[in-house]
Amino acid sequence: MALNNTYDARPVQQETAVGAGVQILLLALLGTAIGMGPAGWLTGLAFAIATWAVLSRALHRSRLRSFGAANRVTLGRATLVGGVTALVADSFHGSPPVSLFVGLTAVALVLDGVDGKVARRTGTATPLGARFDMEVDAFLILVLSVYVSTAMGPWVLLIGGMRYVFVAAARVWPWLTAPLPPSTARKTVAALQGVLLLLAGAALLPHTVNVGVVLLALALLVWSFGRDVLWLCRTSRATAVPAGRQAQEQRERRELVAG
């Protein structure tokens, strides 16, 4: 009897559609609660559509047959990030409640530690899930840095943009794409970025103290990225030398045979 190897993408694609629907529902609730303006609505809808499109394509390419509990947690977190994004966009033309901004962001940050644990406990960890989690984290940091920069200046955008600059640089220097060894320090610094930016964005402390908090976040991030780039550079050079020697030996062998 022939086995049916046909891949049915509908189950996982339905979950991304539900996620987009929940995102729109959250925007509707925010709009009703605070009277969100066009900037917030358009930005939130753009985020929902982009998330649905990119995630649907990634799921189709990975051919996952089950979305998984961990990805559902990450999708829920992405929904909260979409709400935060809409509030930040709305803040340029209005004054959304800081408590609402802090609440959504805090829950999103707390859930950041949940999806990984769920994936490990259920044995459903996948490269797609890890990438999905990382992209949601990176975008939340970017949005928070935009929000804080309105009070402290554009230099804060270095925090949110550093990861995207690294990705762009990897297209020029492919050795930056090599896998990094696990690092508790890297994970700690990444987690602190959201906490410190949220603390500064909540404006609970004096402005000078908030500036110091954001400077600390930036310094930690520069140190973390700098350490990783240095490790990748050294590893690339170390592997390039044996490869060069091997190529030289092959050329010498060919010359001997030819002679």
Side-chain angles (χ1 to χ4, degrees), residues 193-256:
Q193 297 304 305
V195 175
L196 295 176
L197 285 172
L198 178 59
L199 179 61
L204 298 175
L205 302 174
H207 180 75
T208 304
V209 177
N210 285 331
V211 171
V213 167
V214 179
L215 283 172
L216 174 62
L218 179 59
L220 289 172
L221 195 62
V222 169
W223 170 80
S224 181
F225 268 96
R227 189 185 68 156
D228 286 345
V229 169
L230 184 60
W231 186 91
L232 290 169
C233 181
R234 289 174 175 173
T235 303
S236 174
R237 291 178 178 176
T239 55
V241 172
R245 290 175 180 173
Q246 185 177 7
Q248 179 64 28
E249 291 174 357
Q250 290 176 349
R251 286 195 297 269
E252 292 176 353
R253 292 193 193 101
R254 287 196 296 267
E255 291 173 358
L256 288 174

Side-chain angles (χ1 to χ4, degrees), residues 73 76-85 87-88 97-114 136-137 140-141 143-144 147 191 193-202 204:
V73 175
R77 190 155 56 87
T79 300
L80 296 175
V81 172
V84 174
T85 303
L87 290 177
V88 171
V98 176
S99 58
L100 186 57
F101 164 79
V102 171
L104 289 178
T105 305
V107 175
L109 291 174
V110 170
L111 288 177
D112 185 25
V114 175
V136 172
D137 290 343
L140 177 59
I141 298 304
V143 171
L144 291 177
Y147 182 75
Q193 297 304 305
V195 175
L196 295 176
L197 285 172
L198 178 59
L199 179 61
L204 298 175

